[in-house]
Amino acid sequence: MSVRVRRVYEPPEAGDGVRVLVDRLWPRGLSKDAARVDEWPKGLTPSTGLRRWYHAGEGSFAEFTERYEAELAAPEETELLDHVRELAAAGDVTLLTASKSPGESHAAVLQRLLGGN
């Protein structure tokens, strides 16, 4: 089992396993066929307010992580996270994001919470 993060704009690879888009909005300029997304749990994404706050540069990644983890503790989000955990327990999962810096995005937080590499 592995959970990895990739940019959704990168071509799919054989080892991706289940491809999970973890962005709230569909990536610009990318067709659904080209993306080959298997799951799109929009509820796993940060709230609009948190996303705007972080992208405005008002806080650190550590503070963003703390706030995002608090959002993920809500019942609906916990259920979605558990579902992706089950997918990861059954095989490889690739978390897809349009973020230009996936290592400092919500996708990296999800990867860590899911026990990914």
Side-chain angles (χ1 to χ4, degrees):
M1 168 201 85
S2 76
V3 177
R4 65 181 182 160
V5 173
R6 296 184 64 217
R7 291 199 72 224
V8 68
Y9 297 108
E10 296 172 5
E13 294 180 355
D16 283 349
V18 179
R19 293 171 54 87
V20 181
L21 180 63
V22 293
D23 291 347
R24 187 169 303 270
L25 303 174
W26 188 261
R28 290 183 186 202
L30 187 65
S31 73
K32 294 190 189 240
D33 286 339
R36 286 194 23 220
V37 170
D38 298 310
E39 304 244 352
W40 188 14
K42 295 178 190 176
L44 273 184
T45 62
S47 66
T48 300
L50 179 58
R51 193 176 68 248
R52 287 182 179 158
W53 170 85
Y54 182 56
H55 291 296
E58 297 179 20
S60 67
F61 181 64
E63 188 174 354
F64 167 78
T65 297
E66 187 176 307
R67 292 180 181 198
Y68 181 41
E69 287 178 357
E71 288 185 356
L72 291 172
E76 182 179 323
E77 287 78 359
T78 299
E79 187 175 316
L80 290 171
L81 194 57
D82 286 344
H83 172 68
V84 178
R85 234 183 232 113
E86 290 170 7
L87 293 173
D92 295 333
V93 170
T94 299
L95 305 177
L96 302 168
T97 182
S99 174
K100 291 179 182 174
S101 301
E104 289 191 352
S105 73
H106 65 288
V109 176
L110 289 171
Q111 180 186 29
R112 183 180 51 76
L113 292 174
L114 294 166
N117 315 2

